[in-house]
């Protein structure tokens, strides 16, 4: 009887917490976001201009972060292209009522899992670059509608823009393709779209909230236990970087064998260590190479973010290699993906959504795409963060390291840059080699000490 009574209390507590989370985290998409028409907007290496250029005939004011309501005078620049690009990024948020996390009674990460979610978003962007490419956008992006009845819906905007562009296209094209060429082109487009949609769904499924998902919350928490973390604890950006590396290393899906993750040691990227990860079979004579996602935990100042780093952060988010920044402001973790002027553009994981079973065929995709870009002044950013880059080949890595090094030197007013790229291996600089791992131990003793230090130094994230 006592056990039954305890179970009933836990169920009531769970329902109460669920209702509280729904109320507490339902406001995230309801705040307004404003973008300037006179300044360019950067999103993960792509630049968008919202200035009026005479190409369009109407302008839709960005008002509630998810729609455009009230027609003013002209459509500016490529606002819709920006919206499609932003919405196409994978958005991972708090969830509730998912399978219970092993070793705990938790069926939600509301209130504690936001840094893990931002880490998932960064990794998801890296995988999207790997499998889909930067030019890919979700065909249904503008069909997401989070408006009230008085607002212009995204679907209306899409039809308006498409119909006008179609009329311009008809004037520019003097010749109509033959039926044969049209059919061939259509089949090629259909096959390509089908392949992209398969990978789109597959990438999302890897982040599903179930014990079997390679990069799902359940697996990440299991890897976090090796660094002394448990479900319900706070996770900092540096700890999450190491957890992501372990998750990718342990992934067994054949599709993921062509990707690896490298985490910088003490703000230093050792080039030979990165290349060794990209070319693990070099000694055996095999030509197979891996793409690498490089994660660099850094601090942008002491107690507060140093404004001298603003131009560097903007420069990083302008690079085609960038897959975003795991960061936030004190007590809140965000995934930073772009900027306009001195404000950062981010996706917010603090929005409680219901569990989605990604194992079923044609699971709904809408809740994995954010309709509302958010902006935050750079000066509000907490100094602790992890910066991410994706390099498909060794040549890409070498080019990226050159570009980033130039940026680091030009942005550093002090003797030492924020982080550095160094030739050679870490062992060449008198670092003690990692001890052999026990069979059931995913982190070396050296890594455990480093993670413990990061855990105690970093700010608390909600």
């Amino acid at each position: 009887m006592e056990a039954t009574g305890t179970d009933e209390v836990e169920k009531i507590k769970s329902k109460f917490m669920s209702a509280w989370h729904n109320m507490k985290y339902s406001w995230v998409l309801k705040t307004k976001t404003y973008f300037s028409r006179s300044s360019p907007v950067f999103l993960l290496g792509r630049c968008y201009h919202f200035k009026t250029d005479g190409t369009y005939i109407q302008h839709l004011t960005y008002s509630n972060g998810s729609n455009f309501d009230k027609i003013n005078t002209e459509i500016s620049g490529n606002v819709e292209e920006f919206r499609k690009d932003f919405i196409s990024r994978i958005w991972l948020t708090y969830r509730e009522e998912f399978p219970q996390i092993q070793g705990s009674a938790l069926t939600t990460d509301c209130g504690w899992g936001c840094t893990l979610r931002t880490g998932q978003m960064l990794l998801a962007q890296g995988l999207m670059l790997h499998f889909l490419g930067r030019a890919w956008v979700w065909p249904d992006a503008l069909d997401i509608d989070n408006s009230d009845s008085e607002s212009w819906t995204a679907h209306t905007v899409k039809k308006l823009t498409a119909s006008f562009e179609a009329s311009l296209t008809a004037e520019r094209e003097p010749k109509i393709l033959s039926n044969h060429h049209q059919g061939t082109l259509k089949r090629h487009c259909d096959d390509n779209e089908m392949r992209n949609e398969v990978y789109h769904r597959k990438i999302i499924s890897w982040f599903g909230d179930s014990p079997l998902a390679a990069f799902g919350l359940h697996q990440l928490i299991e890897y976090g236990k090796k660094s002394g973390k448990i479900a319900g604890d706070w996770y900092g950006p540096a700890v999450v970087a190491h957890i992501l590396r372990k998750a990718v290393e342990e992934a067994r899906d054949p599709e993921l064998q062509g990707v690896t993750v490298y985490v910088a040691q003490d703000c230093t990227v050792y080039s030979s260590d990165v290349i060794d990860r990209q070319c693990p079979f070099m000694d055996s004579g095999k030509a197979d190479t891996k793409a690498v996602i490089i994660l660099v935990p850094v601090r942008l100042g002491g107690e507060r973010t140093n404004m001298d780093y603003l131009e560097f952060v903007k420069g990083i988010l302008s690079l085609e290699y960038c897959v975003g920044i795991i960061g936030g402001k004190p007590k809140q973790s965000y995934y930073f993906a772009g900027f306009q002027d001195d404000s950062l553009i981010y996706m917010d994981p603090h929005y409680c959504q219901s569990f989605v079973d990604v194992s079923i065929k044609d699971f709904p995709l809408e809740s994995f795409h954010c309709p509302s870009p958010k902006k935050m002044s750079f000066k509000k950013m907490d100094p602790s963060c992890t910066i991410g880059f994706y390099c498909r080949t060794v040549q890409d890595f070498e080019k990226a390291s050159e570009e980033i090094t130039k940026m680091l030197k030009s942005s550093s007013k002090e003797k030492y840059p924020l982080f550095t790229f160094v030739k050679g291996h870490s062992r060449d600089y008198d670092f003690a080699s990692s001890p052999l791992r026990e069979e059931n131990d995913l982190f070396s003793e050296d890594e455990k000490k480093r993670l413990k230090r990061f855990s105690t130094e970093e700010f608390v994230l909600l």
Side-chain angles (χ1 to χ4, degrees), residues 56-119:
Y56 301 97
I57 54 172
Q58 297 192 31
H59 172 67
L60 303 174
T61 302
Y62 210 113
S63 67
N64 66 358
S66 61
N67 307 268
F68 297 87
D69 57 11
K70 297 184 181 179
I71 298 179
N72 288 342
T73 53
E74 299 178 323
I75 291 182
S76 58
N78 50 2
V79 175
E80 289 308 303
E81 293 304 311
F82 166 74
R83 290 199 67 229
K84 279 192 283 188
D85 192 359
F86 177 84
I87 293 172
S88 297
R89 302 313 104 204
I90 292 176
W91 182 43
L92 298 156
T93 72
Y94 287 157
R95 297 277 176 174
E96 62 177 355
E97 299 176 0
F98 53 61
Q100 187 171 312
I101 296 172
Q102 187 177 3
S104 77
L106 292 169
T107 58
T108 179
D109 63 318
C110 286
W112 59 270
C114 61
T115 318
L116 290 170
R117 296 299 187 181
T118 56

Side-chain angles (χ1 to χ4, degrees), residues 282-331:
M282 188 176 289
D283 294 339
S284 63
K286 293 183 181 179
D288 294 346
T289 62
K290 294 186 176 187
V292 64
I293 296 171
I294 300 169
L295 303 178
V296 187
V298 296
R299 281 193 70 89
L300 304 174
E303 291 299 316
R304 295 182 180 180
T305 294
N306 187 336
M307 290 299 291
D308 289 342
Y309 290 122
L310 171 60
E311 293 306 314
F312 170 74
V313 171
K314 290 163 70 170
I316 288 295
L317 292 169
S318 304
L319 292 175
E320 59 181 294
Y321 308 103
C322 183
V323 292
I325 299 173
I326 306 170
K329 59 185 181 181
K331 298 187 178 181

Side-chain angles (χ1 to χ4, degrees), residues 216-228:
L217 199 72
H218 296 69
Q219 285 286 4
L220 299 186
I221 289 167
E222 283 301 308
Y223 299 130
K225 287 179 181 178
K226 305 299 181 180
S227 66

Side-chain angles (χ1 to χ4, degrees), residues 154-395:
H155 186 62
T156 305
V157 173
K158 184 179 179 182
K159 288 196 295 184
L160 171 68
T161 307
S163 62
F164 188 74
E165 286 184 340
S167 66
L168 292 175
T169 303
E171 292 176 9
R172 288 196 299 264
E173 294 179 353
K175 195 161 43 171
I176 298 176
L177 291 173
S178 67
N179 290 336
H180 172 72
H181 285 121
Q182 282 183 338
T184 303
L185 186 62
K186 186 175 187 301
R187 280 195 301 274
H188 176 73
C189 291
D190 289 346
D191 290 345
N192 195 47
E193 286 180 9
M194 189 177 298
R195 174 224 175 249
N196 288 344
E197 190 54 32
V198 167
Y199 275 111
H200 178 202
R201 286 182 172 277
K202 184 172 288 188
I203 292 169
I204 290 175
S205 71
W206 285 328
F207 295 90
D209 295 308
S210 72
L212 298 178
F215 310 127
L217 199 72
H218 296 69
Q219 285 286 4
L220 299 186
I221 289 167
E222 283 301 308
Y223 299 130
K225 287 179 181 178
K226 305 299 181 180
S227 66
K229 295 288 187 180
I230 61 172
D233 281 352
W234 313 116
Y235 294 74
V239 172
V240 169
H242 286 276
I243 290 173
L244 293 177
R245 176 174 62 82
K246 288 298 175 184
V248 173
E249 284 180 1
E250 297 299 314
R252 292 293 171 258
D253 193 313
E255 297 271 16
L256 292 167
Q257 301 314 300
V259 184
T260 186
V261 172
Y262 172 88
V263 181
Q265 299 181 44
D266 300 316
C267 299
T268 305
V269 178
Y270 294 93
S271 297
S272 295
D273 288 343
V274 175
I275 294 171
D276 284 351
R277 283 187 167 272
Q278 288 190 277
C279 307
F281 307 113
M282 188 176 289
D283 294 339
S284 63
K286 293 183 181 179
D288 294 346
T289 62
K290 294 186 176 187
V292 64
I293 296 171
I294 300 169
L295 303 178
V296 187
V298 296
R299 281 193 70 89
L300 304 174
E303 291 299 316
R304 295 182 180 180
T305 294
N306 187 336
M307 290 299 291
D308 289 342
Y309 290 122
L310 171 60
E311 293 306 314
F312 170 74
V313 171
K314 290 163 70 170
I316 288 295
L317 292 169
S318 304
L319 292 175
E320 59 181 294
Y321 308 103
C322 183
V323 292
I325 299 173
I326 306 170
K329 59 185 181 181
K331 298 187 178 181
Q332 285 185 310
S333 181
Y334 299 143
Y335 169 61
F336 295 114
F339 68 92
Q340 184 182 48
D341 296 324
D342 293 347
S343 294
L344 298 172
I345 297 171
Y346 65 92
M347 285 197 282
D348 193 343
H350 302 86
Y351 183 62
C352 190
Q353 302 192 86
S354 298
F355 164 70
V356 173
D357 185 355
V358 297
S359 67
I360 63 173
K361 186 180 180 181
D362 296 332
F363 62 87
L365 296 168
E366 289 75 15
S367 66
F368 297 100
H369 292 279
C370 181
S372 309
K374 301 295 179 185
K375 290 174 70 178
M376 183 190 85
S377 172
F378 177 77
K379 64 184 178 183
K380 293 182 180 179
M381 183 180 179
D382 194 280
S384 289
C385 62
T386 289
I387 301 169
F389 307 97
Y390 168 85
C391 300
R392 185 177 295 275
T393 65
V394 173
Q395 291 73 26

